[in-house]
Amino acid sequence: MSLEIDSVSKWFGAFAALDKVSLVGAEGEFLALLGPSGSGKTTLLRILAGLERPDAGVVRFNGEDLSGTSARDRRAGFVFQHYALFRHMTVAKNIAFGLEVRRGAEKLPKKEIAARVERLLALVQLDTLGGRYPAQLSGGQRQRVALARALAIEPRMLLLDEPFGALDAKVRRELRRWLRGLHAEMGLTTIFVTHDQEEALDLADRVVVMNNGRIEQVGAPADVYGRPANAFVYDFMGGANRLPCDVRGGVVTFGGFAASTGDHAPGPDRAALAYARAHDIRVAPEGQPGLPATVLAVFPAGGQPRVECRLGDGQVVEAAVRTGDPWPALGQRIALQPERVRVFE
Amino acid sequence: MSGGGSLRGRRDPAPVRYTLIALTLLYLSLFIGLPLAAVFAEALREGWGEYLKAITDPDAIAAMQLTLLVAAIAVPVNVVFGVCAAWAIAKFDFAGKSLLVTLIDLPFSVSPVVSGLVYVLLYGANGWFGPVLDALGIKIIFTVTGLVLATMFVTFPFVARELIPLMQAQGRDEEEAALTLGAGGWQTFLRVTLPNIRWALLYGVLLCNARAMGEFGAVSVVSGHIRGQTNTMPLHVEILYNEYSFVAAFAVASLLALLALVTLVAKTLLEWRFRDDLAAVRRH
Amino acid sequence: MTASAPIAQPKRWLKPSVLPGFGLTFGLTLLWLSVVVLIPLIALVIRPWEMGLERFIDLASRPRVVAALRLSFGTAAAAAAVNLVFGAIIAWVLVRTEFPGKRIIDAIVDLPFALPTAVAGIALAALYAPNGWIGALLDPLGIQVAYTPLGIFVALTFIGLPFVVRTVQPVLEDIDADLEDAAASLGASRLQTLARVIAPALAPALLTGFALAFARAVGEYGSVIFIAGNIPQVSEIAPLLIVIRLDEFDYAGAAAIGVFMLAVSFAVLLALNLTQRWARRATGNES
Ligand SMILES: Nc1ncnc2c1ncn2[C@@H]1O[C@H](COP(=O)(O)OP(=O)(O)O)[C@@H](O)[C@H]1O
Ligand SMILES: [Mg+2]
C-alpha cells in the first residue's frame, strides 16, 4: 500500500471537480486514470503532485500524510500535458534542473549531475540531442525530455497527464510500448491520465474509470472491459449496443432468445435495455429466436467482420459474423442473438 | 511585416501603390525627417567648436548628470515594480484584476503637466503635506526628489505593461514544473521566469529610460529650474532656447535626439530578433 | 448523479495557487501604485470639493481658461483627424506594399514616441519660424505657422502620428487575405471590397488610434510651447496655463484646469473602452 487517496474532494466555486474520491495504489503499480474530458483526472493528478490543495480528504504515501508537504518537497515526478519544458534551456539543462536546484546536503557535484543527465538521455533515447532547445524537437521527443526531467529527481511516484495526447497515432503506439518497458524496468508507482480507453486497457495494471469527479470503477483491464460496473463504463469502453430486452426471473431474453449475463444479476422483472458488444451478437437467419433486423451494410474486411443492421424501432446495431456463418446480403432480414449482455439497474 | 505572406491578389494597382508610397515618404520626411535634420543642422550651425563648447558647458554637464541620476533611480524602481505587478497579475487569479491593470495604465492618459501638478498639490508649499514637510525640514518640490517622483509617475506603466501580456501568455506551467522538480520560489523566478521575460524586460527598460531622460512637462512643473541643481537636460534646452542661445540649446537637444535614435535602433533590433518574446510589440 | 452534500467553498477573491510570492508582489504593487499614482491623483480630484464647487466652476470658466481649453481640444481634434487619414495610409503602405528601406520607415514612425518633446518643440519652432526651412517657403504665401494656432496644430500632428499607425497596422496584418479574395470572387470591385470588407474591420482600430492621438495631444506641453507663441486667449494651450498658474502660486486655478483636463481624458478613454467592447461583441474577435 504505497499511495492512498482518501475521500478527496475539490471544488471550483460551486462546481465539484472531485467528489470524495478514494483510491489505493500498490507499490510499483501502473494505474490509468481514464475518463472523458472534464471528469477531474488532471485535478486529481495535480492534487497528488501538491500543485492543488484538496478541499477535503487526504493523500498518503507509505502511510505518511502528504497534506503538509509542498509540491517542492513531494518528489512527485510530474509530466505535464503540454510538457511545460523550460523553453530557454537546452534539453540537458532541462533534465539537470531538478538536480541543480537542490540545496544543502542534497547538493550534487557538477560532474555527478552531468553523468546523471547522460544516463537519462540514454534512457529516453535522446543521447545526441542534449544541446537542442525544446522548440527544435518533435512532439515525441519533447515528451521523452519531460519524462527524463521528471525522472531525474528520483521521484517516489510518476504522474503523467495525457502523456500521448498531443502525438500522432504511430508515435503514440511506439511511446506506449516504450513506456511500458520503462515501467517494468524501474518499478516506479505510476499514474497516467488518458481519455483513450484502448491506451488505458493496453498499458495499465489497473484502470480507474472517472466521470463527473467520481470514480465509476476500478479494476484490471479485463475486468473493466469485460465486466463494466455500470452503463457509463460500458459505454465509455466503446462498441456498446443498446438493445431492448425482457428481464424475467433473472433471465434476459430477446424475442425468445436467452442471453447470458455472466455473474451480473440483471435485477427485477421488467422491460429493460441490455448492453452488448458487436462481437457478442450473433447474426442468425430470419425466423430464428432473436431480435428481427434488416442488414444495412456489411464490413467483411478488418480484424472483425461486422454487419450494420437496423432494428424494428429504427435503432442501428453492429453485430459480428462468426467464422463459418453465412454472410447476409444487403437488405436481408435476419435475427440478432445477443449471447452475452449486461443489464444495469 | 506581413509574415512573408504573398501579397499577390491583394495588390493595389501600381499607380495607387506608388501614390500611397510617395505620400507616406513625403509625410514622414516632412514631419519626422526634417525636424530631426533641423536639430543637428541648428546645433552645428556655427561649427563643431561651438558645438563642443555648448555640450561641455558646466551647466550642460550638470544637467546631463542630473538626467542620468533621475533615470538611474526611476528606471530600476520601475523595473522592480513592473516585475512585481506582472508576477501578481499574470500568475494569479484574483478579483479586481482588470481594475488594477487599468489603474497601472492610468499615467499614460494623464497630461505630463498634470502629472507634475499633482505632486505640487501634495507636497508644495500650499499642498496637503506641504506644512508638515516644511515643519520637518523636508523639501520635495523644486528638489531632485520631486523630479524623481514626477518621472516615476509618467514612466510608471512602461515595464509592467510590457511584461503582463507576455507572462499571461506564457502561463504558469513552467513555474509549476519547477516547483515539482524541487525549486524554491526565488530559484523558480530567477532560473525560469526571468530568462523567459528577459527581452521583454529589456524592451520595457529601453522605453522607460527614453521617457525618463526625455520627460519635460512633468519635471518642468516640479523643478523650479534651478540651474546646476534641478535642471535636467530637457529643461536646460528650454532655458537656453528662451535665452536665445539657440546653438547651445540645439547642441544639448542633439544629444537627446541621439538618445532617441539609439533607443529606436535598439528597440527595432529587439523587435526583429525576439519578436516572439515581446508581447506588447505594436501595442503601445 | 445525485448532488452530494454541498460543501462548496465560499467565493474567495484570490484563487489559491502553489506559486509563491503573491502577498509580497501584490502588496508592493498596491503600495507603489498608491504612493506614486493614486494618492496624488486623488489629491487633485478632490481639490474642487475642498475649495468649494462654486469657486471651482468660477475658476474653470474664466475667459482665458475657456479659450485655452477650447484651443487645446480644438487643435488636438484637428491634429488627430489628420493623423487618422495619414496614419491609415502609412499603415496601409507598411503592410501592403514592398519597397527598399521599408523596415527603416517602419522603425522611424516611432520617433515621436522616442524623441523628447522639448527637442521636437524647438526643432519644429526652428523649421516653421518665418526664417526657418519651411517657414521661409510659406512666408511669401502669407501663411504663418509658428506662433499661431496653426503651429500648435503642427506640433500635435507630429506627436500623434504613431498612435494611429501602430493601432491600425496589426489589425491590417491580421485581416485574412482570403476575405478579400472571397469578396473579389463574389464579384465585388476593389473599391467595394475596400468599403465593405476592409473598412469595417479597420474601423475599431481607427477609432482607437484617433482617441489615443487625441488624448495625448490634449495634454501635450513640451512640443507645443516653443512653436505656439503663447499669446493669452489666442495661442495659449491649457497645460501651459496650468504652469502659469503654478508659477503664480495660484494652486486652485491650476487644479481647476487640471481636473477638467483629467475628466475629459478619462471620458475619452471610457468612451473608447465601451466602443471597443461593443466592437468586440459585434465582430466576435480581437482580444
Ligand atoms: N483552476 C480551475 N478553475 C475552475 N475550474 C477548473 C479549474 N481546473 C479545472 N476546473 C474544472 O474542473 C473540471 C475537471 O477538470 P480537469 O481535472 O482538468 O479534467 P480532465 O483532466 O479530466 O479533463 C473541469 O470541468 C474544469 O473545467
Ligand atoms: Mg486534463
Side-chain angles (χ1 to χ4, degrees):
Chain A
M1 183 183 74
S2 90
L3 183 65
E4 193 185 339
I5 301 164
D6 190 357
S7 323
V8 162
S9 295
K10 177 74 190 178
W11 296 80
F12 291 113
F15 173 78
L18 290 178
D19 188 8
K20 301 210 195 76
V21 168
S22 295
L23 179 68
V24 176
E27 175 87 45
E29 199 174 18
F30 201 177
L31 282 173
L33 285 185
L34 174 65
S37 166
S39 54
K41 309 180 298 287
T42 297
T43 306
L44 182 57
L45 215 58
R46 287 172 61 85
I47 285 176
L48 293 179
L51 291 172
E52 211 90 59
R53 208 174 259 286
D55 293 315
V58 260
V59 176
R60 294 188 198 89
F61 191 82
N62 288 337
E64 169 206 351
D65 184 350
L66 290 184
S67 305
T69 315
S70 70
R72 181 185 189 186
D73 299 320
R74 262 187 210 202
R75 289 222 345 258
F78 195 100
V79 176
F80 289 72
Q81 186 169 1
H82 302 289
Y83 318 135
L85 295 177
F86 305 127
R87 67 196 88 188
H88 64 276
M89 293 183 201
T90 61
V91 166
K93 276 280 175 198
N94 262 282
I95 297 174
F97 183 88
L99 303 173
E100 286 179 345
V101 295
R102 286 193 183 174
R103 304 144 295 169
E106 296 203 310
K107 222 169 159 157
L108 291 176
K110 273 213 163 68
K111 258 220 207 98
E112 170 69 19
I113 293 180
R116 281 212 205 176
V117 169
E118 280 301 308
R119 273 205 302 278
L120 284 160
L121 278 171
L123 182 71
V124 297
Q125 301 165 357
L126 293 171
D127 313 61
T128 55
L129 300 184
R132 295 249 190 119
Y133 285 89
Q136 302 167 315
L137 300 178
S138 73
Q141 290 169 334
R142 281 181 211 172
Q143 174 63 59
R144 281 180 281 157
V145 175
L147 197 60
R149 185 178 70 176
L151 291 173
I153 59 168
E154 299 174 314
R156 301 193 286 184
M157 55 187 150
L158 194 55
L159 308 171
L160 308 152
D161 194 358
E162 311 237 1
F164 315 116
L167 306 173
D168 61 55
K170 185 165 165 292
V171 180
R172 191 187 298 206
R173 237 180 327 262
E174 275 168 24
L175 268 179
R176 214 190 273 178
R177 200 173 314 127
W178 175 79
L179 182 64
R180 189 167 33 200
L182 194 73
H183 176 258
E185 199 175 307
M186 311 213 319
L188 201 56
T189 308
T190 302
I191 301 184
F192 79 99
V193 161
T194 179
H195 60 253
D196 177 347
Q197 89 282 3
E198 196 190 311
E199 200 165 278
L201 296 174
D202 258 24
L203 214 47
D205 297 333
R206 280 195 302 154
V207 176
V208 181
V209 185
M210 293 189 63
N211 183 34
N212 282 331
R214 294 158 184 250
I215 293 182
E216 300 280 357
Q217 187 174 2
V218 184
D223 273 350
V224 175
Y225 187 78
R227 287 200 290 280
N230 55 39
F232 172 81
V233 178
Y234 204 116
D235 242 356
F236 197 71
M237 289 300 144
N241 292 296
R242 273 183 223 88
L243 305 168
C245 66
D246 279 312
V247 182
R248 209 154 301 280
V251 180
V252 180
T253 57
F254 300 86
F257 179 85
S260 153
T261 56
D263 54 5
H264 189 80
D269 293 359
R270 69 202 189 278
L273 274 183
Y275 282 72
R277 293 209 165 85
H279 60 81
D280 289 330
I281 305 176
R282 178 170 194 170
V283 176
E286 189 183 11
Q288 293 211 8
L291 291 169
T294 313
V295 175
L296 288 180
V298 294
F299 304 103
Q304 196 183 47
R306 296 164 297 135
V307 297
E308 203 175 82
C309 33
R310 177 178 287 141
L311 298 182
D313 62 2
Q315 203 191 152
V316 176
V317 172
E318 271 194 8
V321 179
R322 300 286 157 77
T323 11
D325 282 359
W327 275 96
L330 282 187
Q332 188 181 329
R333 300 200 39 89
I334 52 169
L336 294 178
Q337 301 182 334
E339 295 178 322
R340 270 182 302 276
V341 301
R342 295 235 142 190
V343 179
F344 301 107
E345 309 257 341
Chain B
M1 281 159 260
S2 46
S6 163
L7 298 172
R8 205 147 35 95
R10 37 180 193 154
R11 283 223 160 177
D12 307 295
V16 176
R17 215 159 66 228
Y18 292 132
T19 312
L20 291 178
I21 294 177
L23 263 178
T24 295
L25 294 179
L26 185 73
Y27 192 82
L28 290 180
S29 351
L30 191 67
F31 274 99
I32 290 181
L34 276 184
L36 204 54
V39 172
F40 293 101
E42 294 288 335
L44 295 169
R45 179 185 284 270
E46 279 160 33
W48 286 95
E50 284 300 308
Y51 181 80
L52 286 178
K53 215 171 90 192
I55 60 174
T56 50
D57 176 79
D59 283 346
I61 293 202
M64 288 174 213
Q65 282 169 339
L66 185 60
T67 290
L68 289 176
L69 175 70
V70 169
I73 299 171
V75 174
V77 167
N78 230 314
V79 167
V80 172
F81 160 77
V83 170
C84 281
W87 180 265
I89 287 167
K91 302 285 178 188
F92 296 87
D93 288 318
F94 55 90
K97 190 193 273 195
S98 56
L99 175 67
L100 184 60
V101 174
T102 309
L103 290 178
I104 290 174
D105 267 351
L106 209 56
F108 271 149
S109 39
V110 175
S111 165
V113 169
V114 174
S115 313
L117 168 69
V118 292
Y119 285 105
V120 176
L121 293 183
L122 264 192
Y123 303 119
N126 301 330
W128 275 9
F129 303 136
V132 182
L133 293 173
D134 214 31
L136 294 170
I138 301 173
K139 280 195 67 139
I140 289 180
I141 301 306
F142 304 150
T143 69
V144 177
T145 317
L147 295 179
V148 171
L149 276 175
T151 305
M152 282 197 301
F153 184 103
V154 294
T155 58
F156 195 77
F158 276 89
V159 176
R161 71 168 1 216
E162 207 57 48
L163 296 184
I164 290 169
L166 178 69
M167 284 168 69
Q168 268 172 337
Q170 288 179 341
R172 308 172 244 238
D173 275 10
E174 288 185 42
E175 281 79 11
E176 286 180 351
L179 289 187
T180 65
L181 292 169
W186 274 111
Q187 283 175 318
T188 301
F189 175 74
L190 293 175
R191 286 168 178 256
V192 175
T193 311
L194 199 56
N196 275 344
I197 60 171
R198 61 192 157 182
W199 298 118
L201 187 60
L202 181 59
Y203 191 86
V205 166
L206 212 60
L207 300 184
C208 178
N209 180 64
R211 181 71 193 264
M213 291 193 169
E215 178 52 31
F216 177 71
V219 292
S220 168
V221 171
V222 295
S223 139
H225 304 94
I226 308 162
R227 267 190 198 229
Q229 279 183 39
T230 60
N231 234 9
T232 61
M233 281 170 82
L235 298 177
H236 195 57
V237 168
E238 182 193 20
I239 290 187
L240 292 171
Y241 188 86
N242 288 343
E243 287 171 348
Y244 303 103
S245 316
F246 290 136
V247 168
F250 279 99
V252 177
S254 73
L255 296 179
L256 288 169
L258 278 178
L259 170 75
L261 287 176
V262 169
T263 303
L264 268 194
V265 169
K267 168 177 174 295
T268 308
L269 289 180
L270 276 179
E271 281 170 12
W272 287 352
R273 203 152 145 43
F274 303 105
R275 201 175 161 74
D276 295 343
D277 289 351
L278 303 176
V281 168
R282 297 278 147 72
R283 270 187 286 117
H284 295 273
Chain C
M1 295 291 110
T2 51
S4 60
I7 55 161
Q9 297 300 302
K11 234 182 146 152
R12 282 167 288 205
W13 76 280
L14 170 67
K15 200 180 259 181
S17 165
V18 288
L19 294 184
F22 179 77
L24 177 73
T25 55
F26 184 77
L28 266 179
T29 301
L30 221 52
L31 176 74
W32 206 230
L33 182 69
S34 308
V35 170
V36 175
V37 177
L38 295 185
I39 294 173
L41 277 180
I42 289 168
L44 171 63
V45 171
I46 67 175
R47 268 278 159 160
W49 281 268
E50 268 183 328
M51 61 181 153
L53 220 47
E54 252 166 57
R55 174 121 188 277
F56 168 72
I57 291 168
D58 170 52
L59 284 171
S61 58
R62 301 248 167 99
R64 187 171 171 188
V65 176
V66 172
L69 287 170
R70 191 181 292 153
L71 180 69
S72 275
F73 287 108
T75 47
V82 168
N83 276 322
L84 186 66
V85 174
F86 280 91
I89 291 175
I90 294 170
W92 184 272
V93 165
L94 289 178
V95 175
R96 294 301 182 89
T97 67
E98 290 298 335
F99 57 92
K102 191 180 101 171
R103 290 180 118 191
I104 295 172
I105 295 296
D106 193 355
I108 212 103
V109 167
D110 278 334
L111 189 83
F113 279 146
L115 194 68
T117 52
V119 178
I122 61 169
L124 290 172
L127 274 181
Y128 287 92
N131 60 349
W133 292 348
I134 300 178
L137 295 177
L138 297 175
D139 203 39
L141 307 174
I143 304 174
Q144 219 199 331
V145 176
Y147 320 125
T148 69
L150 200 55
I152 301 173
F153 163 78
V154 166
L156 296 184
T157 308
F158 169 83
I159 56 128
L161 171 69
F163 289 95
V164 178
V165 179
R166 293 307 186 214
T167 43
V168 172
Q169 195 175 8
V171 180
L172 201 52
E173 273 169 3
D174 282 349
I175 290 182
D176 198 347
D178 292 348
L179 216 63
E180 276 165 74
D181 293 344
S185 77
L186 293 171
S189 74
R190 186 82 191 127
L191 273 181
Q192 280 173 320
T193 307
L194 206 60
R196 301 207 174 183
V197 178
I198 299 177
L202 285 188
L206 285 167
L207 189 68
T208 306
F210 177 86
L212 291 176
F214 175 77
R216 169 74 201 263
V218 165
E220 180 55 23
Y221 175 69
S223 60
V224 176
I225 54 165
F226 299 99
I227 199 175
N230 308 326
I231 305 154
Q233 305 210 32
V234 177
S235 57
E236 183 181 66
I237 54 167
L240 176 64
L241 196 51
I242 294 180
V243 175
I244 291 173
R245 291 280 188 259
L246 280 179
D247 283 345
E248 296 162 350
F249 294 101
D250 176 7
Y251 284 15
I257 307 169
V259 168
F260 190 82
M261 293 182 56
L262 202 60
V264 172
S265 33
F266 286 167
V268 170
L269 285 183
L270 189 68
L272 186 64
N273 246 315
L274 294 179
T275 21
Q276 274 174 335
R277 205 167 292 178
W278 167 79
R280 213 175 302 149
R281 208 169 308 143
T283 58
N285 59 22
E286 271 262 346
S287 53

